Amino acid sequence: MTSKVKKGSMTGMSVKSGDKRPTKKGAGMTAKGVAKYRRQNPGSKLQTAVTEDKPTSKKRVARRKSFCARSAGQMKKFPKAAKNPNSRLRQARRRWKC
């Protein structure tokens, strides 16, 4: 019997399976995790983080700007995570260079 994963769900994604980075390595999803998510959710456009200092394409610049704006909202919504420098939120923002 196979387990059904709810569409759009991050259930089954873990650091141990290599789908997510540990917080010490910048949090966020790995390329393997993104590929797994896209297989489970056909039509998904999920991509890995924009980590370069100066992205060359305007799309990547826009993705970073959008992520930073969204995650800034999460910082307001979750003040406990915002105060903790080792939270997944703060580490992901550091990785994206927000």
Side-chain angles (χ1 to χ4, degrees):
M1 185 166 120
T2 60
S3 62
K4 276 229 167 199
V5 177
K6 185 178 173 186
K7 184 174 177 165
S9 173
M10 295 297 286
T11 306
M13 300 286 185
S14 68
V15 172
K16 192 172 181 181
S17 65
D19 300 327
K20 292 182 183 176
R21 276 184 187 77
T23 53
K24 290 182 180 177
K25 293 197 176 176
M29 292 183 76
T30 61
K32 178 186 172 188
V34 170
K36 180 177 177 181
Y37 181 86
R38 290 183 72 169
R39 275 193 309 276
Q40 291 174 352
N41 300 281
S44 169
K45 295 181 181 178
L46 186 69
Q47 297 175 354
T48 55
V50 179
T51 57
E52 60 264 26
D53 289 327
K54 293 186 179 181
T56 52
S57 96
K58 288 182 181 179
K59 279 188 178 182
R60 290 180 68 76
V61 171
R63 277 187 62 231
R64 174 183 283 166
K65 187 176 179 183
S66 176
F67 173 81
C68 291
R70 278 194 319 274
S71 60
Q74 290 177 329
M75 296 271 282
K76 288 180 184 174
K77 189 172 181 179
F78 302 106
K80 195 172 178 182
K83 289 176 188 164
N84 179 3
N86 296 321
S87 69
R88 292 193 72 78
L89 174 60
R90 290 276 301 270
Q91 292 293 333
R93 283 180 58 86
R94 185 173 297 142
R95 181 168 172 74
W96 279 76
K97 297 180 175 79
C98 292

